[in-house]
Amino acid sequence: MQGYIVKRILIAAFTVFTVLTVVFFVFRLGPADPVMVMLPPNATPQDAENLTKKFGLDKPLMVQYGNYLKNAFRGDFGSSFRFDEPALRVLLMRFPATLKLGLVTFILSVTVGLSIGLISAVKPDSIIDRIGRLFALAGMSLPSFWVGIMLILFFGVTLRWLPIAGRGTPLHYIMPAFCMSLYPIALITRLSRSSMLDALKSDYVVMARIKGVPEFYVILVHAFKNASIPVITVIFGIFGALMVGSAVVVEYIFSWPGIGRLVMESFFARDYPVVQVFVIVVTCMVVTLNLIVDIIYAYIDPRIRYQ
């Protein structure tokens, strides 16, 4: 068991190191010069030289890479080109807004997705099941940026029921949260429905019904307890990545002052440190969640750690 855990930790560490390396070279080898982006139109060549030395961009690429890795392992990801502050601090200042929107989206996605999936499995081919499958198909197919624009045009511009930008009131959460939760709801609905259908056909559920166990108890205790295992894996394994990835687009569309909008603005401004720390933080979060899930699975199912 210890060997399995050590192996998974080494794989996770190697994944983080690979992402650190790829992120550095991708942004450093880009066509645009961040110094020219930061300088005003009337800047002199001396100003460009001073700014280049300030951020260490005048050193050879491999020297920059070595300093980048050394600082990254100490939690120092450089200073933002635009804000002249530590990139990690700039990201953390925007994190509470994204966290609040993410919590609303998480609650909405899990509640609606599980409800539709369970009802669809208990009553297959019913109206609710057909509507649920149609909604799941739409949620998996429609891009979030298109859904966000349509919501703004209809509910914000035409009907003027909801605010189209910023945050402050509970009404500001409705459209961004719905837009971010559309794909997770579809994913949870499809997975919970298929898992629940398999569980309802199992022998232990049939035996419970023969014994006269109440149907409500059979569904929620016997069937749902076993059907929830793959659903929990999806929720805790990739849900964080889905939320952050969707936030990048949704927050920019709705002008939500979170890390998603920050990273989009930083990308267009060639603010490499902010974009790098965003990618690294997301990578560490996803790798950590998957590592925890793998270790829990190894304790639950001994076959996994002996494969």
Side-chain angles (χ1 to χ4, degrees):
M1 183 63 185
Q2 294 180 351
Y4 172 81
I5 295 177
V6 171
K7 180 180 178 181
R8 299 304 302 175
I9 292 176
L10 291 176
I11 293 176
F14 178 76
T15 303
V16 174
F17 173 78
T18 303
V19 172
L20 284 170
T21 303
V22 171
V23 166
F24 174 84
F25 285 103
V26 164
F27 289 107
R28 287 302 189 283
L29 299 178
D33 186 0
V35 174
M36 301 308 297
V37 175
M38 290 183 287
L39 289 173
N42 57 350
T44 63
Q46 185 64 36
D47 295 332
E49 183 179 354
N50 294 335
L51 197 61
T52 301
K53 291 181 179 179
K54 177 181 178 181
F55 290 104
L57 300 176
D58 58 326
K59 299 178 181 179
L61 186 63
M62 296 309 298
V63 175
Q64 295 183 42
Y65 175 64
N67 295 332
Y68 163 78
L69 287 180
K70 181 176 64 176
N71 295 330
F73 285 115
R74 295 185 303 182
D76 181 9
F77 298 96
S79 297
S80 169
F81 296 158
R82 293 191 301 154
F83 303 102
D84 197 19
E85 295 183 11
L88 185 59
R89 181 188 302 172
V90 173
L91 191 75
L92 293 178
M93 289 175 61
R94 299 285 191 96
F95 186 74
T98 300
L99 180 61
K100 292 179 181 179
L101 181 60
L103 289 176
V104 174
T105 304
F106 178 82
I107 295 173
L108 179 63
S109 302
V110 174
T111 303
V112 177
L114 285 179
S115 299
I116 297 177
L118 292 179
I119 296 175
S120 299
V122 174
K123 299 181 179 180
D125 295 326
S126 63
I127 297 178
I128 297 179
D129 182 28
R130 295 176 183 177
I131 295 176
R133 283 185 291 176
L134 180 63
F135 183 82
L137 179 62
M140 300 286 288
S141 305
L142 298 177
S144 58
F145 72 89
W146 182 85
V147 175
I149 294 174
M150 292 299 103
L151 291 175
I152 291 175
L153 290 176
F154 186 71
F155 292 103
V157 178
T158 303
L159 299 179
R160 297 188 178 182
W161 288 354
L162 300 172
I164 63 176
R167 63 185 285 249
T169 66
L171 294 177
H172 286 84
Y173 286 83
I174 296 177
M175 289 196 294
F178 176 80
C179 191
M180 287 180 59
S181 63
L182 192 60
Y183 182 84
I185 288 175
L187 182 62
I188 295 174
T189 298
R190 296 184 63 178
L191 186 59
S192 60
R193 180 183 182 274
S194 61
S195 300
M196 195 66 179
L197 285 174
D198 293 337
L200 290 174
K201 297 177 183 178
S202 59
D203 295 336
Y204 58 86
V205 172
V206 175
M207 181 60 65
R209 285 173 171 167
I210 294 175
K211 291 181 177 180
V213 177
E215 187 68 15
F216 181 81
Y217 192 85
V218 170
I219 293 174
L220 293 184
V221 176
H222 291 277
F224 180 69
K225 182 179 179 181
N226 293 276
S228 62
I229 295 177
V231 180
I232 293 175
T233 303
V234 170
I235 292 175
F236 293 99
I238 67 174
F239 199 87
L242 289 175
M243 288 296 95
V244 177
S246 180
V248 173
V249 177
V250 174
E251 289 186 1
Y252 192 75
I253 292 175
F254 291 97
S255 297
W256 191 269
I259 60 175
R261 182 184 177 190
L262 173 66
V263 74
M264 288 292 290
E265 294 174 347
S266 301
F267 178 80
F268 290 126
R270 301 297 190 270
D271 194 352
Y272 299 146
V274 175
V275 180
Q276 286 175 169
V277 74
F278 171 81
V279 176
I280 293 168
V281 168
V282 173
T283 301
C284 292
M285 180 182 66
V286 174
V287 169
T288 302
L289 289 174
N290 281 278
L291 178 62
I292 294 174
V293 171
D294 289 340
I295 294 175
I296 293 175
Y297 269 14
Y299 278 103
I300 295 176
D301 190 349
R303 295 174 298 179
I304 295 178
R305 57 178 180 262
Y306 291 116
Q307 288 180 353

